[in-house]
Amino acid sequence: MLTDKEKFIVFVDNDVLEKSNAIVLLEGDGFNRYRKAVDLFKKGFSDKIIFSGGITDHNYGSYPFEEIFPKMLAEGIPGDAVIHESNSTNTYEQAIEVIKICNQNNWEKIILIATHDHQYRAYLTFLNQVLKNDQEILLFNAPVRNLGWFNETGWGRRVDRLNTEFKKINSYIEKGHIATFKQGIDYQQWKETKLKIKI
């Protein structure tokens, strides 16, 4: 019998993407995330990219918008397609600020991009904001997967960061700052019903 945590991991890793109002590129992990946003944009999943984050901390992998944006332009992304959400300094604040943008624009679907070790906590954090505000926003997971687990990044090996991520998840669930694994499963079931995903 799988635990709720194990089921949740499977759902996140195998989420089905839909065309959405925006692709949300979460700041972090150096230059390793923006290409996923570029790829999804070029494939037509959205005509908007939100770069969420206002931190500069290279030792932690938080490369600022000013360094990521030119690389996106060089990949052919139009400048006016990119929105910089600069108020947030952590994942919790990113969720608050991005959902605020969704409400302002009446957006109903967003795609979340983090690297695979951070995606689980990011998703639960965003889901908590959606549930807390009783909103019917559809969240889709698009983790960056083609990265090594055991290589040294300069801000820690991802296998070690994964352990830290799940410790944070457990701690933040107790504090009520993020959704639970069970809420993630229930939301996935609701989402599939909403999208009429066929078996």
Side-chain angles (χ1 to χ4, degrees):
M1 179 75 73
L2 293 177
T3 65
D4 286 345
K5 174 182 174 182
E6 291 166 335
K7 291 177 185 175
F8 173 79
I9 289 171
V10 172
F11 292 160
V12 171
D13 287 348
N14 296 280
D15 210 354
V16 177
L17 300 185
E18 289 257 331
K19 187 175 175 63
S20 298
N21 300 109
I23 297 162
V24 180
L25 172 58
L26 300 179
E27 181 182 17
D29 215 321
F31 294 125
N32 292 308
R33 296 178 180 172
Y34 80 90
R35 289 186 185 88
K36 182 78 172 186
V38 169
D39 180 60
L40 293 179
F41 182 95
K42 289 183 174 180
K43 287 179 177 175
F45 279 99
S46 183
D47 57 6
K48 290 290 180 188
I49 297 174
I50 299 175
F51 179 96
S52 179
I55 314 171
T56 300
D57 186 350
H58 291 87
N59 292 329
Y60 191 65
S62 296
Y63 291 13
F65 177 74
E66 290 74 19
E67 294 181 24
I68 304 291
F69 185 52
K71 293 183 177 294
M72 297 170 70
L73 295 177
E75 295 278 355
I77 301 299
D80 59 2
V82 182
I83 299 167
H84 183 201
E85 179 285 295
S86 60
N87 294 324
S88 61
T89 59
N90 55 51
T91 308
Y92 182 73
E93 291 176 0
Q94 285 176 319
I96 292 172
E97 296 299 327
V98 169
I99 296 303
K100 195 183 298 181
I101 293 172
C102 290
N103 291 335
Q104 291 168 351
N105 290 278
N106 295 314
W107 289 346
E108 298 176 342
K109 297 179 181 180
I110 58 174
I111 298 171
L112 298 178
I113 295 178
T115 29
H116 43 21
D117 50 299
H118 181 55
Q119 189 78 32
Y120 311 112
R121 180 163 65 89
Y123 182 44
L124 289 174
T125 306
F126 273 74
L127 178 56
N128 187 56
Q129 285 301 312
V130 168
L131 297 177
K132 192 162 70 172
N133 294 297
D134 195 29
Q135 296 167 304
E136 291 196 353
I137 295 175
L138 298 178
L139 305 172
F140 299 97
N141 290 287
V144 181
R145 295 190 180 96
N146 57 336
L147 301 168
W149 285 101
F150 298 95
N151 57 310
E152 180 54 57
T153 63
W155 42 88
R157 300 189 311 166
R158 292 189 182 86
V159 65
D160 299 323
R161 296 211 318 263
L162 184 64
N163 288 328
T164 302
E165 286 291 321
F166 278 104
K167 287 179 182 176
K168 286 182 178 180
I169 286 173
N170 292 333
S171 173
Y172 295 160
I173 285 176
E174 289 181 7
K175 294 177 181 178
H177 291 176
I178 66 176
T180 65
F181 297 120
K182 178 63 165 58
Q183 286 175 312
I185 293 168
D186 291 343
Y187 175 79
Q188 184 70 24
Q189 183 175 8
W190 170 81
K191 185 170 74 174
E192 290 191 12
T193 302
K194 187 86 172 173
L195 295 171
K196 297 181 174 59
I197 293 177
K198 296 179 181 178
I199 297 174

